[in-house]
Amino acid sequence: MYPTTLRRVAIVGSGMIGTSIALALRRAGIRVGLSDKDQDMVVKAELMGAGVALRPGDPPADVVVIATPPSAVVGVLRDAQARGLGEVYTDVASTKGRIVAEAERAGCDLTTYVPGHPMAGRELSGAFAARADLFAGRPWALCPHPATPPEPLHMVAQLAAACGGEPEFLAPHTHDRIVAAASHAPHLVSAALAAGFAGVDESMLSLVGTGLRDMTRVAAGDPALWCDILEQNGEAVATVLDSVVRDLAEAACALRAGNGEGAPGMLVDLLSRGNHGRERIMDRCRAAARV
Amino acid sequence: MYPTTLRRVAIVGSGMIGTSIALALRRAGIRVGLSDKDQDMVVKAELMGAGVALRPGDPPADVVVIATPPSAVVGVLRDAQARGLGEVYTDVASTKGRIVAEAERAGCDLTTYVPGHPMAGRELSGAFAARADLFAGRPWALCPHPATPPEPLHMVAQLAAACGGEPEFLAPHTHDRIVAAASHAPHLVSAALAAGFAGVDESMLSLVGTGLRDMTRVAAGDPALWCDILEQNGEAVATVLDSVVRDLAEAACALRAGNGEGAPGMLVDLLSRGNHGRERIMDRCRAAARV
């Protein structure tokens, strides 16, 4: 197990991600205090062995993890810092630029807040869907303010590592541009593909194969949570969608113009670029698996 | 093992699909003769234990399987029927409407030809990528002419079942409309997503997760083969792409119009339709797994 100086972590938000972090930290021998605006969620997380409910007189945690939907992070952070809930704060929201700007406007202390985003998820939600190994070998983005001192950075990097994640330091807007392409726009593409099967006759499902099954997996995600994520990263996601839309609209034109005298150059070009992009994605996945 | 009256099958085209069928039939105790315009491919398939090379004096096969790219099927079929290579003929191409129309125009005997399409594949090509279990539990579309007598239908359905597939009888144009939505358009969508990573900085790959990995898997397919498939089903594929393009273009507009006052209705609607379509796809996959 990764050696850690963390002793006590508080987690605000006992959903699937918050409870998965709690389970991973418990495995590493760290004490975990749980809270949620819905007390039922805390009870479920406790039943999973994820820790115990935070109580009013508890000593400050080494790190407070805010595991709420993106739009709730800043309010929770401000409140937690005002109450002195911990020494250092982080969150796990899928967007960073707008949250950091809002935290600054809201007067949060950015020197003890290290914005984070573990690159792992499931299509299921709630504490009972949590898994201790959710973050194993996965990148865990950290987007600190340039003025953040080393100690809070080190504490949050330790937390990520204790969960099995691989800390990656990035500027908030770089993070948002990267996840727009790697996660947020693909989510909408998956939804658009899956949506085509929402109202069809049963016969249209008779030849469904593994390709479509894999491509629509993420489309099962919670619409309300995903709207929150997508709106926080709207321009970057829209830019990626523009490019996908342009390629697919041109492909539709090329298919209609097809005259049976050999593949139109546009389709060959798109499929070849697809091959190359896929190779780069897999090179990266293989490199990460060897770490 | 499924009881079969098949004794001898000839396979024209010793690529990944042809050799996988050969391996599955060999497991079922059926004799397999192999051919390919590239003799090296036959040698590789023999090395895999997929059968032996067809020889000029061989007796007619019970079924001849044409496992070539779509645009080559009709020429091979006409030639094989002229040579009396077998009693019954089938193919495995991913499109059916245009092939059946061309076979009719080319004067092929449609009463001994049962067009087919096993719904299974890999992103790898060539005999060495073949797997005997590739078709296990997978749908295997059969699109016979209404005038086809029962015996050829029965022979080809037996062949599909001997490979572990589940025969599904469909009209050629119904088949093409279904695979446009379930396979051909998703292939282009996967390529368009992957293409976005073809020329990017290494940093853009730093947060790649399992969602993008799964969504771009099929983008690794051979561009020349896929152009051939897509052109054979151009109008049906373009119609599906139109719908995906419309949804994604509207989503990009909604994201840019987002004013932070809650999720625009369009995004919630698209994500909810995506949820519903995904449920239907998974219901079908689960039902198929129970068969």
Side-chain angles (χ1 to χ4, degrees), chain B residues 7-288:
Chain B
R7 293 289 167 262
R8 186 187 299 270
V9 170
I11 298 180
V12 183
S14 302
M16 187 274 288
I17 293 285
T19 305
S20 292
I21 292 173
L23 289 173
L25 296 176
R26 293 290 302 131
R27 270 200 190 172
I30 296 163
R31 296 178 65 170
V32 175
L34 302 161
S35 81
D36 198 289
K37 63 179 183 175
D38 177 354
Q39 193 55 31
D40 276 0
M41 294 292 278
V42 174
V43 171
K44 285 178 181 166
E46 286 181 321
L47 284 172
M48 294 282 288
V52 295
L54 272 179
R55 282 165 306 190
D58 282 348
D62 298 326
V63 180
V64 176
V65 179
I66 300 167
T68 66
S71 60
V73 169
V74 173
V76 170
L77 173 63
R78 188 174 46 186
D79 176 61
Q81 288 188 329
R83 289 161 54 206
L85 201 59
E87 308 288 343
V88 174
Y89 300 82
T90 187
D91 73 311
V92 298
S94 308
T95 61
K96 296 272 79 78
R98 197 190 285 192
I99 287 174
V100 171
E102 282 178 11
E104 197 154 15
R105 274 199 300 277
C108 296
D109 177 2
L110 297 189
T111 63
T112 62
Y113 168 49
V114 182
H117 178 206
M119 297 302 299
R122 301 189 72 190
E123 288 67 64
L124 304 170
S125 57
F128 288 164
R131 291 172 49 162
D133 63 354
L134 189 66
F135 311 103
R138 312 293 319 142
W140 190 308
L142 297 174
C143 306
H145 191 276
T148 309
E151 184 59 18
L153 295 186
H154 181 58
M155 295 289 270
V156 177
Q158 274 195 80
L159 179 133
C163 291
E166 309 281 344
E168 293 263 354
F169 288 90
L170 296 159
H173 288 287
T174 306
H175 165 275
D176 288 358
R177 204 163 44 87
I178 293 174
V179 293
S183 166
H184 300 171
H187 190 93
L188 281 169
V189 171
S190 181
L193 256 189
F197 291 85
V200 295
D201 287 349
E202 192 63 24
S203 65
M204 284 298 288
L205 295 155
S206 60
L207 302 179
V208 161
T210 53
L212 186 70
R213 189 192 64 195
D214 289 354
M215 288 189 71
T216 56
R217 179 171 59 78
V218 299
D222 176 31
L225 173 63
W226 271 94
C227 266
D228 193 10
I229 293 169
L230 293 164
E231 281 201 297
Q232 294 258 341
N233 202 16
E235 185 56 43
V237 176
T239 301
V240 179
L241 291 183
D242 289 347
S243 162
V244 173
V245 162
R246 194 165 48 242
D247 273 340
L248 296 181
E250 282 180 20
C253 278
L255 286 165
R256 289 198 168 100
N259 54 10
E261 292 179 4
M266 187 274 155
L267 290 179
V268 178
D269 174 64
L270 174 58
L271 295 170
S272 300
R273 283 188 288 127
N275 273 188
H276 185 43
R278 170 67 180 177
E279 278 165 28
R280 295 204 59 199
I281 290 166
M282 288 313 293
D283 284 349
R284 181 71 190 199
C285 289
R286 281 187 283 263

Side-chain angles (χ1 to χ4, degrees), chain A residues 227-242:
Chain A
C227 267
D228 193 9
I229 292 169
L230 293 164
E231 283 201 297
Q232 293 259 340
N233 202 17
E235 185 56 42
V237 176
T239 301
V240 179
L241 291 182
D242 289 346

